Amino acid sequence: MTVVNGYEQSDREQDLDILNLPSLEAEAKKIIPTGGFGYIEGGSEDNWTLAENTKAFEHAQIVPKALSDMEDPDLSTSIFGIDLKTPVMMAPTAAQGLAHSRGEAATAEGLAAVGGLMAQSTYSSTSIADTAAAGNGAPQFFQLYMSKDWDFNYSLLDEAKKAGIKAIILTVDATVDGYREADIINNFQFPIPMANLTKFSEGDGKGKGIAEIYASAAQKISGADVKRIADYTDLPVIVKGIESPEDALRAIDAGASGVYVSNHGGRQLNGGPASFDVLPSIARAVNHRVPIIFDSGVRRGSHVFKALASGADLVAFGRPTIYGLALGGAKGVASVYKHINHELEITMQLAGTKTVDDIKSAPLTHFSYND
Amino acid sequence: MTVVNGYEQSDREQDLDILNLPSLEAEAKKIIPTGGFGYIEGGSEDNWTLAENTKAFEHAQIVPKALSDMEDPDLSTSIFGIDLKTPVMMAPTAAQGLAHSRGEAATAEGLAAVGGLMAQSTYSSTSIADTAAAGNGAPQFFQLYMSKDWDFNYSLLDEAKKAGIKAIILTVDATVDGYREADIINNFQFPIPMANLTKFSEGDGKGKGIAEIYASAAQKISGADVKRIADYTDLPVIVKGIESPEDALRAIDAGASGVYVSNHGGRQLNGGPASFDVLPSIARAVNHRVPIIFDSGVRRGSHVFKALASGADLVAFGRPTIYGLALGGAKGVASVYKHINHELEITMQLAGTKTVDDIKSAPLTHFSYND
Amino acid sequence: MTVVNGYEQSDREQDLDILNLPSLEAEAKKIIPTGGFGYIEGGSEDNWTLAENTKAFEHAQIVPKALSDMEDPDLSTSIFGIDLKTPVMMAPTAAQGLAHSRGEAATAEGLAAVGGLMAQSTYSSTSIADTAAAGNGAPQFFQLYMSKDWDFNYSLLDEAKKAGIKAIILTVDATVDGYREADIINNFQFPIPMANLTKFSEGDGKGKGIAEIYASAAQKISGADVKRIADYTDLPVIVKGIESPEDALRAIDAGASGVYVSNHGGRQLNGGPASFDVLPSIARAVNHRVPIIFDSGVRRGSHVFKALASGADLVAFGRPTIYGLALGGAKGVASVYKHINHELEITMQLAGTKTVDDIKSAPLTHFSYND
Amino acid sequence: MTVVNGYEQSDREQDLDILNLPSLEAEAKKIIPTGGFGYIEGGSEDNWTLAENTKAFEHAQIVPKALSDMEDPDLSTSIFGIDLKTPVMMAPTAAQGLAHSRGEAATAEGLAAVGGLMAQSTYSSTSIADTAAAGNGAPQFFQLYMSKDWDFNYSLLDEAKKAGIKAIILTVDATVDGYREADIINNFQFPIPMANLTKFSEGDGKGKGIAEIYASAAQKISGADVKRIADYTDLPVIVKGIESPEDALRAIDAGASGVYVSNHGGRQLNGGPASFDVLPSIARAVNHRVPIIFDSGVRRGSHVFKALASGADLVAFGRPTIYGLALGGAKGVASVYKHINHELEITMQLAGTKTVDDIKSAPLTHFSYND
């Protein structure tokens, strides 16, 4: 255990024997301090959208396929020409020092070990360069919380390019902090500096609440910002926080190279639809012009399958990774992705889908369930 | 604490640190005497409509809007040319002396402090004039429970006009008292006089049950009564208790200047639809000819947003205000509206709606949820 | 308390102070012996249809009516030219001696006191003549469980005519006993003789289980039996246990003068639809050619209203009556009907329906609810 | 009690007094060791499909039929010209030695006693010949888990033919073991040899986990395999694990003589639809060209009726039989089928269906329920 500013960080490093991802939460809660756990786990308002995100996967069902004449399902896929060993990636997630002393560096290392894609957050505990280095050459994306200060933005983008980042994820659903009651109850303030903020006038985030952090971020974000970032970096820009076909088209028109369907894991606008429920209509609108990344509520191999079969190209989650990080460091993160890959492989075999592309054209049923 | 006729009234006066409005109920229950609390909180029969009123907000979902190019959402709006700082208003609510020794005067003071609209009830604990004075010039409406005795009605309307009331809300869904089981269990009788009734032959309400109070009210109310009140006062008349397009049109045809969609917070006809469920069809029928006020079940900023996006022009609630009144007097009431405004502002920003008019044209989704 | 064959019968005689009908069940359970209570309360198999019967009323909602210009709702109605003071009647219910020492005689007396219609069961604890006499001239119907032995049937019908019975209710949904688990768990056998069976070779029912009782009843019932009974008695024959439009038409074609929509309170075929759910399609098929009686799941004034608005002409229930009988004898039964009438009157006033005919043409909404 | 390799097998032999099949589970849990019980009872992942299998029967309702002019319902039916006394059969179920020392031999004896069809599993604890002999001439089917080793497959098929097996059930939904968490939690390994595996190189299963067992099975199964087995055996081949019309047609095209609709009792692909929900569309596609067997979730006579009315020709279940086996050996198994037959007979009488063919043409309603 490492104690920083009175906050107790896990420094475990071990493979995890995982039964399933939902069960990690209770284990992680035992070792992550209350404030940090509340920040990681909590959604906004009464957590309705948070809960619906996972329940919504029951709105579609996977059709088992008989006599499929296949074996050895293959999880490999690619995005923007980057080869990946699994379609399951890390969702950009802030402040991973809350879960582990090595923070994002350990997460990147774990992802690299399984050939999964790491996405860094602007509000990381470790710096872009350090996290990139920990990935040891494995592909990484960088998520930008756009600041009102473009010098700050350009500086981060410069650092990202320098570190070999392959694409920029521009988060657009957090122009104000969601009303997160757990943080209010815990009077939560970040105990650990955010590495990417240390050089800047606005301070490193330490001792601040989430509202103060977001106060420095831009509220007013438009399509022009997408273009500005794409032009500046010459990297693909993926717009994250899309929940409607209209927004997906607006992002593409603005120059987005990818669409990231997400409601921020139910942490921003409560009372909005489950992310899985809106995915099919967005996929129809996007119509394969750009790749779609999906997150919010994913906890099972069957969820990954359903998201891919509903139009996603890559599927992400944050919380289970963070719990794996707390419980096992880089090895714990790798265990999380090995486990979800294992569940996904079983589902693929039983659904008669040999490849990720096969999943994308697999049928789903939509019987109405009542519980 | 003030004791009147053996009833213990709160006389707290303090700002409240509010997590959310639903959580106020348990706090208020600790300080409001059982009979009073039962009267305030209870619905009719088995409270089905009461519960559905709030659950029904899950039948629609707010679409987050990305790249909306906006900031600083603006809550200001107006009705009948009256400027308001927020679209959230007070629902007319009887007998607020049950919650606080200052009664409606404190509520009016709290509403005035936040620029919200106060609506007085006929069955107020304080008089029209006193409540108006406490508002210190802020706009107020007056709700009329029409008596069988028109001298009584005219007298109240005269007093309202004299006090500068801006509009009359005519309640038409309470032609008999709903079957409220809490009041029966508690054998509830109003321990505190109703100021507007003191001058009249029927008595001041003290020591009476709700059925006795309603017995003096008119059961037979028609469109002619709307016209009669409008003609007499030359004020806008808003018909409260509309739950169908047919009734909205009947009210407008009768001369109503506004339609108030409400099922009386589930306190009158149990087994009727949730108020939110009927709002869209009523709004289509009204088609912007007159403004629509909405209440019943509203507890969250996201609920206010959904009601506005479904056709309401102003959104009201009673119980949470009363709980704030009990817990903090005028300051407590102001805290309640500041809180709901804060939740609403976050929702507006995340939904990309700069103004109340923007909310009114915002899309909602209607995925079917199962819990 | 009266003890018969070791079974403790209530002999209470008192007015009841009723909060609502559902709450009677727990009170009655305290004084009705376990076996008797299980027989009265239990449904078949896992009680799914029993539970759905009441929940199904949530599938429709009553529309409050504003500006309805009415007061003093009037419950009076009629069937077959017989005037009734309320559309709520007694469902034919067996073995009421399980609940009270006076059995059906007390029930009939209670119904007569409120001007409601009494329906006797073949398996009554008291005789047709005694129950009729207790009604003191008030109208009664007689329900026939058709025996394989037509001498028995004719004898009962003779007795019914002699006693002034106004119509015959022929039960057709009990050609075998439903799989009632409570009776099996309790190893229930009727402790009290059934008066109408005493004169016949098959015994009086005492010491028999429900399966043995039904074994004497006809399994094979056809339209010809309807005609045979109508011809023999020259009385209206109402076919009870109709759950589909097809069966309603078959009954009418066979000469039925009335259709009784019921699934026997969930005591016969489990896994069938809630009775309220099938009522509208049956009413459309019947198209006012004959009156429709409805039971199964009715516990509230709002339920009675919804059934009438969905096509019923009279609405019945058994269990709440029996609980009232146990708790208060004839006076208790009267209290039950006074209470439901009171709830119904409130609903009528708030829905703007002056008469039972107004209810029949009142609109219902059908929003989909999730709990 | 018999102890084998430290595992305690029931050796009870007694008739069971059964209230209903669901209640057997708790009784059986008391006497089946934890690992064995977890293997029998558990589904895959979070058991969602397992739970939905039974709940889905609520999606359809049986229409009671009045004036049906029938009695004495007749359960007899046939498949492939084989006469059966009941349409309820045994689902092929592995490793019945976990429940009883006599294993499948006792099950076969119990089925024979009631004239029901026994289906043996490849992974039986007792040999094909021994189980066949215990059936004493009653018809049996044999279920094949196709091995990668065709010598093994041919050898089993030879043995099956020699034992007088009437048809082969080829399971195609288990090309990899489902993710069964109970087995992982219990670290379950089969304590008892599987008789059909003893002669083969891959070992007899003892001390192996389910994943190891399935590792020897073929993952790659195609229509050609169906034809190969049919040609080799000259027996009807029924393809088990069909959950879509497309797969049913593919199986028939490949030469299947029967279609077995099943999701393996929720033990294989979790997140797929309830088996009952997919049955109607499959039946329409099959259009009576071959018989349909159905399992997954069946626990009640009303479930059997609903499956037959939705297109099944025979209806099977595994777990309740195994519980009956543990609690009462061959007599316990017979008790289970006698009970379900009794429930089914009551349902048939009340639905006015004299024969199994009548059930097949009986209407169902599809009201939407919410709990």
Side-chain angles (χ1 to χ4, degrees):
Chain A
M1 193 174 74
T2 304
V3 181
V4 178
N5 303 320
Y7 186 91
E8 299 180 350
Q9 291 176 307
S10 162
D11 45 18
R12 295 188 186 188
E13 186 63 36
Q14 60 184 0
D15 293 329
L16 300 176
D17 190 15
I18 296 178
L19 178 65
N20 56 52
L21 301 196
S23 64
L24 294 178
E25 187 167 295
E27 292 305 305
K29 191 174 185 175
K30 295 178 190 165
I31 63 167
I32 302 176
T34 302
F37 183 81
Y39 172 75
I40 293 163
E41 193 275 331
S44 49
E45 283 196 3
D46 62 2
N47 290 332
W48 187 82
T49 297
L50 169 61
E52 287 300 323
N53 275 340
T54 295
K55 285 181 192 161
F57 288 106
E58 300 176 5
H59 299 173
Q61 302 90 36
I62 304 167
V63 184
K65 187 168 179 184
L67 304 174
S68 61
D69 199 20
M70 66 144 281
E71 59 189 341
D72 301 330
D74 175 6
L75 296 183
S76 68
T77 188
S78 70
I79 187 169
F80 303 137
I82 306 161
D83 288 330
L84 298 166
K85 288 192 182 152
T86 170
V88 191
M89 64 175 279
M90 177 61 183
T93 307
Q96 298 179 23
L98 294 172
H100 197 274
S101 58
R102 291 188 61 213
E104 289 77 5
T107 305
E109 187 179 313
L111 264 296
V114 294
L117 184 63
M118 171 68 184
Q120 297 191 27
S121 164
T122 290
Y123 297 151
S124 289
S125 303
T126 56
S127 71
I128 295 173
D130 288 352
T131 306
N136 214 356
Q140 296 191 5
F141 290 179
F142 174 73
Q143 175 272 347
L144 181 67
Y145 276 118
M146 208 177 89
S147 170
K148 290 166 181 162
D149 176 359
W150 274 91
D151 287 342
F152 174 80
N153 295 331
Y154 287 142
S155 169
L156 284 184
L157 294 171
D158 290 343
E159 195 176 334
K161 284 209 71 163
K162 192 172 155 198
I165 291 294
K166 303 295 188 196
I168 304 299
I169 297 171
L170 176 65
T171 297
V172 297
D173 65 357
T175 59
V176 67
D177 49 307
Y179 190 72
R180 302 187 198 165
E181 300 191 358
D183 290 346
I184 295 168
I185 292 169
N186 295 329
N187 192 23
F188 178 67
Q189 295 172 314
F190 291 99
I192 299 159
M194 296 175 174
N196 295 326
L197 307 188
T198 48
K199 303 180 232 169
F200 299 93
S201 57
E202 53 206 13
D204 64 6
K206 192 179 64 180
K208 290 187 178 178
I210 182 71
E212 295 164 288
I213 301 290
Y214 274 123
S216 302
Q219 292 205 300
K220 207 165 166 357
I221 304 181
S222 73
D225 297 309
V226 177
K227 190 170 186 317
R228 188 169 177 177
I229 295 163
D231 287 348
Y232 184 78
T233 59
D234 212 27
L235 286 174
V237 176
I238 300 157
V239 178
K240 176 170 183 282
I242 299 297
E243 289 281 288
S244 70
E246 294 72 19
D247 279 7
L249 297 178
R250 189 180 309 120
I252 294 172
D253 287 349
S257 296
V259 162
Y260 195 133
V261 175
S262 170
N263 58 28
H264 218 112
R267 297 161 73 83
Q268 290 294 111
L269 178 60
N270 191 53
S275 210
F276 181 66
D277 280 332
V278 298
L279 177 57
S281 65
I282 294 173
R284 281 192 297 273
V286 170
N287 197 20
H288 305 289
R289 281 177 291 174
V290 301
I292 295 175
I293 303 177
F294 174 86
D295 77 21
S296 295
V298 177
R299 298 294 179 267
R300 287 282 182 181
S302 54
H303 298 168
V304 176
F305 187 104
K306 289 175 181 181
L308 293 169
S310 298
D313 294 283
L314 294 182
V315 178
F317 49 72
R319 292 180 184 91
T321 314
I322 302 304
Y323 299 145
L325 174 65
L327 294 165
K331 286 182 179 172
V333 169
S335 297
V336 165
Y337 287 85
K338 283 175 191 163
H339 178 81
I340 197 89
N341 285 347
H342 179 53
E343 283 190 10
L344 179 57
E345 282 170 339
I346 292 171
T347 302
M348 289 176 76
Q349 176 66 35
L350 297 176
T353 50
K354 172 86 178 169
T355 67
V356 171
D357 277 348
D358 289 345
I359 301 174
K360 290 183 191 175
S361 57
L364 298 176
T365 56
H366 293 88
F367 292 99
S368 176
Y369 290 91
N370 297 303
D371 50 293
Chain B
M1 195 172 74
T2 304
V3 181
V4 177
N5 302 321
Y7 186 91
E8 300 180 349
Q9 292 176 307
S10 162
D11 45 19
R12 296 190 186 187
E13 187 60 39
Q14 59 184 0
D15 293 329
L16 300 177
D17 191 16
I18 296 178
L19 179 65
N20 55 52
L21 301 196
S23 65
L24 294 178
E25 186 167 298
E27 291 306 305
K29 192 174 185 175
K30 294 177 191 166
I31 63 167
I32 302 175
T34 301
F37 183 80
Y39 172 74
I40 294 163
E41 193 275 331
S44 50
E45 283 196 3
D46 62 3
N47 291 332
W48 186 82
T49 296
L50 168 61
E52 287 300 324
N53 275 339
T54 295
K55 286 181 191 161
F57 288 106
E58 300 177 4
H59 298 173
Q61 303 91 34
I62 304 166
V63 185
K65 186 167 180 185
L67 304 173
S68 60
D69 199 21
M70 66 145 281
E71 61 189 340
D72 300 332
D74 176 5
L75 296 183
S76 68
T77 188
S78 69
I79 186 168
F80 303 136
I82 305 161
D83 288 330
L84 298 167
K85 289 192 182 152
T86 170
V88 191
M89 64 174 279
M90 177 61 183
T93 308
Q96 298 179 22
L98 295 172
H100 197 274
S101 59
R102 291 189 59 214
E104 290 76 7
T107 306
E109 186 180 315
L111 264 296
V114 295
L117 183 62
M118 172 69 184
Q120 297 190 29
S121 164
T122 290
Y123 297 152
S124 289
S125 303
T126 56
S127 70
I128 296 173
D130 288 350
T131 305
N136 215 357
Q140 297 190 4
F141 289 0
F142 174 73
Q143 175 272 348
L144 180 68
Y145 276 117
M146 207 176 91
S147 170
K148 289 165 181 163
D149 175 0
W150 273 92
D151 288 340
F152 175 80
N153 295 331
Y154 287 142
S155 169
L156 285 184
L157 294 171
D158 289 343
E159 194 175 335
K161 284 209 71 163
K162 190 173 156 198
I165 291 294
K166 303 295 188 197
I168 305 299
I169 298 172
L170 175 67
T171 297
V172 298
D173 65 357
T175 58
V176 68
D177 50 307
Y179 190 72
R180 302 188 196 164
E181 300 191 358
D183 290 345
I184 296 168
I185 291 169
N186 295 328
N187 192 23
F188 178 67
Q189 294 172 315
F190 290 99
I192 298 159
M194 296 175 174
N196 295 326
L197 307 189
T198 49
K199 304 179 232 167
F200 299 92
S201 56
E202 52 205 13
D204 64 6
K206 192 178 63 178
K208 290 188 177 177
I210 181 71
E212 293 165 288
I213 301 290
Y214 274 122
S216 303
Q219 292 205 298
K220 207 165 168 354
I221 304 180
S222 73
D225 298 309
V226 177
K227 190 170 186 318
R228 187 169 178 177
I229 295 165
D231 288 348
Y232 184 79
T233 59
D234 212 27
L235 287 174
V237 176
I238 300 157
V239 179
K240 176 169 183 282
I242 300 296
E243 289 280 288
S244 71
E246 294 72 19
D247 279 7
L249 296 179
R250 189 180 309 119
I252 293 172
D253 288 348
S257 297
V259 162
Y260 196 133
V261 175
S262 170
N263 57 28
H264 218 112
R267 296 161 74 83
Q268 289 295 111
L269 178 60
N270 191 53
S275 210
F276 181 67
D277 280 333
V278 297
L279 177 56
S281 65
I282 294 173
R284 281 193 296 274
V286 170
N287 197 21
H288 305 288
R289 281 177 291 174
V290 300
I292 294 175
I293 302 177
F294 173 86
D295 77 23
S296 295
V298 177
R299 297 294 180 267
R300 288 282 182 180
S302 55
H303 298 167
V304 176
F305 188 104
K306 289 175 181 181
L308 293 169
S310 299
D313 293 284
L314 294 182
V315 178
F317 50 72
R319 293 180 184 89
T321 313
I322 302 304
Y323 299 145
L325 174 65
L327 294 164
K331 286 183 178 171
V333 168
S335 296
V336 164
Y337 287 84
K338 283 175 191 163
H339 180 80
I340 197 89
N341 285 347
H342 178 53
E343 284 190 11
L344 179 57
E345 281 170 339
I346 292 170
T347 302
M348 289 176 77
Q349 176 66 36
L350 297 176
T353 49
K354 172 86 178 169
T355 67
V356 171
D357 276 348
D358 289 345
I359 301 175
K360 291 182 190 176
S361 57
L364 298 176
T365 56
H366 294 88
F367 291 99
S368 176
Y369 290 90
N370 298 303
D371 49 294
Chain C
M1 195 173 72
T2 304
V3 182
V4 178
N5 302 319
Y7 185 91
E8 298 181 349
Q9 292 175 307
S10 162
D11 45 19
R12 296 189 186 189
E13 186 61 38
Q14 58 185 0
D15 292 329
L16 300 176
D17 190 15
I18 296 179
L19 179 65
N20 55 52
L21 301 196
S23 66
L24 294 178
E25 186 168 297
E27 291 307 304
K29 192 175 185 176
K30 294 177 190 166
I31 63 167
I32 302 176
T34 301
F37 183 81
Y39 172 74
I40 294 163
E41 193 276 331
S44 51
E45 283 197 2
D46 61 4
N47 289 334
W48 186 82
T49 296
L50 168 62
E52 287 300 323
N53 275 339
T54 295
K55 286 182 192 161
F57 288 106
E58 300 177 4
H59 298 174
Q61 303 90 36
I62 304 166
V63 185
K65 186 168 180 183
L67 304 173
S68 61
D69 199 20
M70 66 145 282
E71 61 190 341
D72 301 330
D74 176 6
L75 296 183
S76 68
T77 188
S78 69
I79 187 167
F80 303 137
I82 305 160
D83 288 330
L84 299 167
K85 288 193 182 152
T86 169
V88 191
M89 64 176 278
M90 177 61 182
T93 306
Q96 298 178 23
L98 295 172
H100 196 274
S101 59
R102 291 188 60 215
E104 289 76 6
T107 306
E109 186 179 313
L111 264 297
V114 295
L117 184 63
M118 171 69 184
Q120 297 191 28
S121 164
T122 290
Y123 298 151
S124 289
S125 303
T126 55
S127 70
I128 296 174
D130 288 351
T131 305
N136 214 357
Q140 297 190 6
F141 289 179
F142 175 73
Q143 175 271 348
L144 179 68
Y145 277 118
M146 206 177 91
S147 170
K148 290 165 180 163
D149 175 0
W150 273 92
D151 287 342
F152 175 80
N153 296 330
Y154 287 143
S155 170
L156 285 184
L157 295 170
D158 289 344
E159 193 175 336
K161 285 209 69 163
K162 191 173 155 197
I165 291 294
K166 302 295 189 195
I168 304 300
I169 298 171
L170 175 66
T171 297
V172 297
D173 64 357
T175 58
V176 67
D177 50 306
Y179 190 72
R180 303 187 197 164
E181 300 191 357
D183 290 345
I184 296 168
I185 291 168
N186 295 329
N187 191 23
F188 178 68
Q189 295 172 314
F190 291 98
I192 299 159
M194 295 174 175
N196 295 327
L197 308 187
T198 48
K199 304 178 230 166
F200 299 93
S201 57
E202 51 206 12
D204 63 6
K206 191 178 65 181
K208 291 188 177 177
I210 181 72
E212 292 164 289
I213 301 290
Y214 274 122
S216 302
Q219 291 204 299
K220 208 164 165 356
I221 303 180
S222 73
D225 297 309
V226 177
K227 189 169 186 320
R228 188 169 178 178
I229 295 164
D231 287 348
Y232 184 79
T233 59
D234 212 26
L235 287 174
V237 176
I238 301 157
V239 178
K240 176 169 182 283
I242 299 296
E243 289 281 287
S244 70
E246 294 72 18
D247 279 7
L249 296 179
R250 189 181 308 120
I252 294 172
D253 288 349
S257 297
V259 162
Y260 196 133
V261 174
S262 169
N263 58 27
H264 218 113
R267 297 160 73 83
Q268 289 295 110
L269 178 60
N270 191 53
S275 209
F276 181 66
D277 280 333
V278 299
L279 177 56
S281 64
I282 294 173
R284 282 192 296 274
V286 169
N287 197 20
H288 305 289
R289 281 176 292 174
V290 301
I292 295 175
I293 303 177
F294 173 86
D295 77 23
S296 296
V298 177
R299 298 294 179 267
R300 287 281 182 180
S302 54
H303 298 168
V304 175
F305 187 104
K306 289 175 181 182
L308 292 169
S310 299
D313 294 284
L314 294 181
V315 178
F317 50 73
R319 291 179 183 92
T321 314
I322 302 304
Y323 300 145
L325 174 65
L327 294 165
K331 287 183 178 170
V333 168
S335 296
V336 164
Y337 287 86
K338 283 175 191 162
H339 179 80
I340 197 89
N341 286 347
H342 179 51
E343 283 189 11
L344 178 57
E345 282 170 338
I346 292 171
T347 302
M348 289 176 77
Q349 176 65 36
L350 297 176
T353 49
K354 172 87 178 169
T355 66
V356 171
D357 276 348
D358 289 344
I359 301 175
K360 291 184 190 175
S361 58
L364 298 176
T365 56
H366 293 86
F367 292 99
S368 176
Y369 291 90
N370 297 302
D371 47 297
Chain D
M1 194 174 72
T2 305
V3 182
V4 177
N5 302 321
Y7 185 92
E8 299 180 349
Q9 291 175 307
S10 162
D11 45 19
R12 295 188 185 187
E13 186 62 38
Q14 59 185 359
D15 292 330
L16 300 177
D17 190 15
I18 296 179
L19 179 65
N20 55 53
L21 301 196
S23 66
L24 294 177
E25 187 169 296
E27 291 307 305
K29 192 174 185 176
K30 293 177 190 167
I31 63 167
I32 302 176
T34 301
F37 183 81
Y39 171 74
I40 294 163
E41 193 276 331
S44 50
E45 284 196 2
D46 61 3
N47 290 333
W48 186 82
T49 296
L50 169 61
E52 287 300 323
N53 275 339
T54 295
K55 286 181 192 162
F57 288 106
E58 299 176 6
H59 298 175
Q61 302 90 35
I62 304 166
V63 185
K65 186 168 179 184
L67 304 173
S68 61
D69 199 20
M70 66 145 282
E71 61 189 340
D72 301 331
D74 175 5
L75 296 183
S76 67
T77 188
S78 70
I79 187 168
F80 304 137
I82 306 160
D83 288 331
L84 298 166
K85 287 192 182 152
T86 171
V88 191
M89 64 175 279
M90 177 61 181
T93 307
Q96 298 178 25
L98 296 172
H100 197 274
S101 59
R102 291 188 62 214
E104 290 76 5
T107 306
E109 186 180 313
L111 264 296
V114 294
L117 183 63
M118 171 69 184
Q120 296 191 28
S121 164
T122 290
Y123 298 151
S124 289
S125 303
T126 56
S127 70
I128 296 173
D130 288 351
T131 305
N136 214 358
Q140 297 190 4
F141 290 179
F142 174 72
Q143 175 272 346
L144 180 68
Y145 277 117
M146 207 178 90
S147 170
K148 290 165 180 163
D149 175 1
W150 274 91
D151 287 343
F152 174 80
N153 295 331
Y154 287 142
S155 169
L156 285 184
L157 295 170
D158 289 344
E159 195 175 335
K161 285 209 69 164
K162 192 173 154 197
I165 291 293
K166 304 295 188 194
I168 304 300
I169 297 172
L170 175 66
T171 296
V172 297
D173 64 358
T175 59
V176 67
D177 49 307
Y179 189 72
R180 301 188 198 165
E181 300 191 358
D183 290 345
I184 297 168
I185 291 169
N186 295 329
N187 191 24
F188 178 67
Q189 295 172 314
F190 290 99
I192 299 159
M194 294 175 175
N196 296 326
L197 308 187
T198 49
K199 304 178 228 167
F200 299 92
S201 56
E202 52 205 15
D204 63 6
K206 191 178 64 181
K208 290 188 177 176
I210 181 72
E212 294 166 287
I213 301 290
Y214 273 122
S216 303
Q219 291 205 300
K220 207 164 165 0
I221 304 180
S222 74
D225 297 309
V226 178
K227 190 170 186 318
R228 189 170 177 177
I229 296 164
D231 288 348
Y232 184 79
T233 60
D234 212 27
L235 287 174
V237 176
I238 300 156
V239 178
K240 176 170 182 283
I242 299 296
E243 288 280 289
S244 71
E246 294 73 18
D247 279 7
L249 296 178
R250 188 180 309 119
I252 293 171
D253 288 348
S257 297
V259 162
Y260 195 133
V261 175
S262 170
N263 58 28
H264 218 112
R267 297 161 73 84
Q268 289 295 109
L269 178 60
N270 191 52
S275 209
F276 181 67
D277 280 333
V278 298
L279 177 57
S281 64
I282 294 172
R284 282 193 296 273
V286 170
N287 197 21
H288 305 290
R289 282 177 291 174
V290 300
I292 295 175
I293 302 177
F294 173 85
D295 77 22
S296 295
V298 178
R299 298 294 178 268
R300 287 282 182 179
S302 54
H303 298 167
V304 175
F305 187 104
K306 289 175 182 182
L308 292 169
S310 298
D313 294 284
L314 295 181
V315 178
F317 49 73
R319 292 179 184 93
T321 313
I322 302 303
Y323 300 144
L325 173 65
L327 294 164
K331 286 182 178 171
V333 168
S335 296
V336 165
Y337 287 85
K338 282 175 192 164
H339 179 80
I340 197 89
N341 286 347
H342 179 52
E343 284 190 10
L344 178 57
E345 282 170 339
I346 291 171
T347 302
M348 289 175 77
Q349 176 65 37
L350 296 176
T353 50
K354 171 87 177 169
T355 67
V356 171
D357 277 348
D358 289 344
I359 301 175
K360 290 184 191 175
S361 58
L364 298 176
T365 56
H366 293 87
F367 292 99
S368 176
Y369 291 90
N370 297 302
D371 49 295

